[in-house]
Amino acid sequence: MKYTLAFILSFIGSTIIAQIVYDQNIESRIDSLFAEYENEPGGALGIYANERILYQKGFGFSNLEDKVKITPQTVFEIAASGMNITATAILLLEEEGKLSLDDPIQDYLTEFPNYKEGKVSIRHCLHHSSGLRDYLELIKISGRNQHITFDNKSALELLKNQSELTIIPGSDYRYSHSNYLVLALIVERITGDSMAKYTEQNIFIPLEMNNTFYYQDFEKVINNRALLYAKEDDEYKLKQNYRFTACGDGRIYSTIEDMMKWSRNFTNSRIGKGKDFMEKLYIRGTLNNGDTMSYARGLEHGEYRGHRLIAHNGWWGGATGMFVIFPSDGLFVMGLGNNKSNGIIGKTYHAARMVLNIDEKPVAKKSENPVNILNETEIKYNTKDLKSICGNYFSYEIGYSRKIYTSENKLYLHDGEHEDALLEAIGENKYKKVGLNSNVTFSFGFEEDKKIMYLQHGERPPMILYKFEPANYNREQLLSFTGDYYSTELGQAYKLKEEDGFLQVWTNEKEIFKFKPLMDMVFNSPHDGYLQFEKNSNGNIYKFTINDYSLGKMGFMKK
């Protein structure tokens, strides 16, 4: 079987012509890509273009106990890859005149406080620029997991008590699951229906997506459901969160068959007013300084191997999802998985590459011995510069710690998680990692009297890290940080204990975090932010803040 599809796609005011050749050879190559799923939890893939389904198949088992095979009709949890469906519900209500995207969220959720950082609008939530604390992280730091009974009302109770934001609204991109949960709450307030009922009546039924729904009833029997798994110590474990029904940011169930119908709706919308209604999802956010964001409305713009890309991924428990759109090529690809460990996101891109006939680009390999990557004569440094820039650096914004040091007259970067990287000078006071295809650069300067490092990814604004002297506390000093603390925003008590030079954080009679001394009054963790302590006028510790990308700063007062 071989056929050629010619597409004439009208996209945001321009006519784009793309041609895709799809044959049985491509189909067999995609099949082989997923062959490793044969005897384990797996996934399903769908490819859609020009009103035609090019491919939809399932691989592996949806249920390991009964060895049930995955098919295009298997019902998966699609996680955050379905945020664009929540955005669609908001845009339908906007079209009906029931809301404005610039309305403050308090117009509909009157329980929320007025934030000192500024007004949070529906538009901010759509583009992840609101600064709302991530409710999943709030659950985590309260000592609970995601196996609890938790719905949208529970989330509202948690979020309404948060008096601070992580950023000034509209000042930056700051991904938070709370944004899309809040959008679902607004839909429910305006319509008087649950998110599940509103989307069923206004999106899923009109599009004949008969097996797609927001998960709201944990007692409901779901036919053809894919159970969720992750591999731990070479053994699969169930990762199903049955009682967690809070939605908007996720908790959508669907099939590859239905997601092909969703893809079809992008090219000729059958909901909203006009066939181009769905293009509203492609509109990017704008920051306060006028910069255009890459994040749109439940989708993010990018580039993949020279092709324009709009996409969103997601994972939750053992669920993984990847939705990719190549608008200039008229191509939609959806991958869904029930195995956290099997890389469905990467395989979705790989399948798209096969269809688009994009050659595999070689990836630069990291040498086992970075010192030998370049000869001594090829790496040139200013010796005076090396001495002045060596030391430890820390980002107060997101809690990153980095160390710059020399060995055998060469400069290295240490981050505590990866192999130390050899750096080379690429300009005056500018360095990059040797032998890696990376657009990350490092430069150094001063802010007032403080030495700083600028860590820059491509054209993004640089991350600023401040030079510091490492802490060297003895046990008696560490004990001064221990004791009982309480957060009114979280409604949670913490007990800090010292053990083996670390501060342990306990709540509900269990340890939830462990922090290592970093510098004076600061303790950090590789994945859980950092603690910053404060002293009163008597020189006694009376407070700490837990600082994290998804939480901002949250204060705990010593009892």
Side-chain angles (χ1 to χ4, degrees):
M1 176 182 68
K2 181 175 182 179
Y3 51 88
T4 301
L5 300 178
F7 308 102
I8 301 177
L9 175 65
S10 177
F11 182 72
I12 312 184
S14 61
T15 300
I16 301 169
I17 300 176
Q19 187 173 26
I20 292 178
V21 177
Y22 182 84
D23 58 31
Q24 199 164 11
N25 177 54
I26 295 176
E27 184 170 338
S28 63
R29 287 173 62 200
I30 295 175
D31 288 349
S32 66
L33 183 64
F34 292 89
E36 64 182 276
Y37 293 174
E38 183 177 356
N39 295 309
E40 61 183 39
L45 185 83
I47 302 173
Y48 180 87
N50 196 34
E51 302 297 325
R52 298 186 68 168
I53 297 170
L54 302 186
Y55 184 99
Q56 56 175 359
K57 289 187 181 180
F59 305 89
F61 295 124
S62 64
N63 182 324
L64 282 182
E65 293 176 357
D66 300 319
K67 298 295 187 289
V68 179
K69 287 287 189 180
I70 292 173
T71 72
Q73 293 77 40
T74 297
V75 179
F76 289 89
E77 184 165 357
I78 71 174
S81 62
M83 279 186 175
N84 57 93
I85 296 176
T86 299
T88 300
I90 287 290
L91 295 175
L92 285 171
L93 292 175
E94 180 202 29
E95 191 175 68
E96 295 170 10
K98 295 181 178 179
L99 62 80
S100 166
L101 298 187
D102 293 314
D103 289 341
I105 60 174
Q106 292 90 343
D107 284 1
Y108 308 97
L109 306 175
T110 56
E111 302 93 331
F112 276 56
N114 292 315
Y115 303 105
K116 64 182 181 182
E117 295 86 356
K119 180 188 76 171
V120 173
S121 68
I122 293 173
R123 191 183 303 275
H124 289 139
C125 293
L126 280 170
H127 300 293
H128 286 296
S129 62
S130 71
L132 291 172
R133 287 173 171 156
D134 195 311
Y135 79 99
L136 294 180
E137 291 298 316
L138 291 171
I139 291 172
K140 178 181 175 181
I141 68 169
S142 67
R144 297 176 288 172
N145 58 36
Q146 293 164 8
H147 294 284
I148 58 176
T149 299
F150 195 90
D151 59 14
N152 280 8
K153 290 181 181 178
S154 308
L156 177 62
E157 287 300 310
L158 185 60
L159 290 172
K160 75 179 187 180
N161 293 322
Q162 307 307 307
S163 60
E164 295 184 15
L165 302 173
T166 61
I167 58 172
I168 294 171
S171 65
D172 201 358
Y173 169 81
R174 186 67 62 98
Y175 185 91
S176 171
H177 292 90
S178 296
N179 287 314
Y180 275 69
L181 184 138
V182 163
L183 294 177
L185 289 172
I186 290 172
V187 170
E188 293 177 338
R189 285 289 173 89
I190 290 174
T191 65
D193 290 328
S194 68
M195 187 66 174
K197 184 175 180 181
Y198 177 79
T199 50
E200 177 187 22
Q201 295 295 320
N202 294 275
I203 298 176
F204 303 139
I205 288 178
L207 298 181
E208 299 178 357
M209 296 171 67
N210 300 322
N211 292 298
T212 303
F213 54 90
Y214 281 83
Y215 178 76
Q216 298 284 271
D217 181 0
F218 54 77
E219 294 182 337
K220 179 181 179 179
V221 175
I222 301 174
N223 295 326
N224 298 322
R225 185 212 300 244
L227 299 182
L228 307 180
Y229 301 90
K231 183 172 279 190
E232 298 176 359
D233 299 324
D234 294 324
E235 182 181 2
Y236 279 108
K237 302 285 187 181
L238 274 170
K239 294 296 176 182
Q240 203 79 26
N241 302 319
Y242 287 106
R243 295 179 174 272
F244 201 103
T245 59
C247 69
D249 58 318
R251 305 311 270 167
I252 301 175
Y253 277 66
S254 190
T255 66
I256 281 295
E257 192 173 69
D258 274 6
M259 291 308 294
M260 293 297 92
K261 296 175 182 177
W262 181 243
S263 299
R264 177 182 64 189
N265 190 59
F266 274 80
T267 61
N268 188 5
S269 181
R270 293 192 291 167
I271 58 175
K273 297 177 182 178
K275 64 180 182 179
D276 58 352
F277 169 78
M278 296 298 287
E279 290 182 6
K280 293 181 180 180
L281 291 176
Y282 298 154
I283 298 174
R284 304 184 188 198
T286 303
L287 296 177
N288 298 340
N289 63 4
D291 287 352
T292 300
M293 304 171 66
S294 63
Y295 201 89
R297 295 163 175 182
L299 295 167
E300 187 164 13
H301 289 254
E303 179 270 340
Y304 184 71
R305 306 290 174 85
H307 291 249
R308 186 180 175 204
L309 169 71
I310 302 172
H312 209 292
N313 61 26
W315 55 88
W316 166 263
T320 54
M322 188 73 233
F323 184 42
V324 297
I325 305 169
F326 293 89
S328 299
D329 302 283
L331 182 66
F332 298 77
V333 186
M334 185 79 197
L336 297 173
N338 67 329
N339 182 348
K340 183 180 180 180
S341 313
N342 69 8
I344 192 72
I345 292 173
K347 289 183 184 299
T348 303
Y349 278 112
H350 196 158
R353 187 167 68 242
M354 291 177 178
V355 175
L356 294 173
N357 195 28
I358 302 173
D359 293 333
E360 184 82 41
K361 285 188 176 181
V363 178
K365 294 183 179 180
K366 191 173 185 180
S367 170
E368 294 180 358
N369 184 5
V371 173
N372 294 325
I373 293 176
L374 295 178
N375 296 327
E376 184 77 33
T377 56
E378 293 177 302
I379 302 179
K380 297 181 180 180
Y381 305 111
N382 184 316
T383 305
K384 184 178 179 181
D385 287 345
L386 294 191
K387 185 176 181 180
S388 67
I389 66 178
C390 285
N392 296 278
Y393 294 84
F394 184 69
S395 166
Y396 288 93
E397 181 181 5
I398 57 177
Y400 279 1
S401 176
R402 299 290 185 266
K403 181 179 180 179
I404 301 291
Y405 70 96
T406 58
S407 176
E408 298 181 357
N409 295 318
K410 293 183 175 64
L411 194 66
Y412 289 89
L413 171 76
H414 172 77
D415 66 10
E417 295 188 60
H418 306 94
E419 181 183 350
D420 291 0
L422 176 64
L423 301 180
E424 63 174 321
I426 58 172
E428 185 176 354
N429 189 36
K430 195 170 186 178
Y431 304 83
K432 70 178 289 290
K433 295 178 183 179
V434 172
L436 293 178
N437 183 17
S438 171
N439 64 349
V440 179
T441 60
F442 308 85
S443 56
F444 300 84
F446 285 92
E447 186 175 282
E448 297 179 349
D449 60 343
K450 296 179 181 179
K451 186 76 174 181
I452 58 177
M453 174 200 294
Y454 298 100
L455 191 161
Q456 187 154 15
H457 291 258
E459 299 300 320
R460 299 178 188 174
M463 180 195 308
I464 300 177
L465 296 89
Y466 294 84
K467 195 171 186 180
F468 69 90
E469 291 298 323
N472 186 24
Y473 290 119
N474 58 38
R475 188 169 189 275
E476 182 179 354
Q477 291 171 318
L478 286 174
L479 289 174
S480 68
F481 295 97
T482 63
D484 296 313
Y485 295 80
Y486 186 79
S487 167
T488 55
E489 288 184 283
L490 194 61
Q492 198 76 24
Y494 276 4
K495 180 180 286 293
L496 270 56
K497 302 179 182 181
E498 184 277 336
E499 184 172 303
D500 298 330
F502 288 82
L503 280 186
Q504 298 176 333
V505 179
W506 287 68
T507 189
N508 301 330
E509 299 184 346
K510 66 178 180 180
E511 179 187 337
I512 58 171
F513 301 122
K514 182 181 288 187
F515 291 88
K516 180 181 180 180
L518 182 71
M519 67 178 104
D520 185 37
M521 305 293 281
V522 175
F523 294 70
N524 81 325
S525 166
H527 306 292
D528 298 311
Y530 64 97
L531 307 182
Q532 188 165 21
F533 291 82
E534 296 182 29
K535 293 181 179 180
N536 59 23
S537 58
N538 296 322
N540 298 317
I541 291 169
Y542 78 100
K543 174 186 179 181
F544 75 81
T545 55
I546 185 167
N547 303 265
D548 180 82
Y549 172 89
S550 300
L551 296 171
K553 296 182 178 182
M554 180 175 289
F556 286 75
M557 304 299 294
K558 196 167 188 177
K559 293 184 178 179

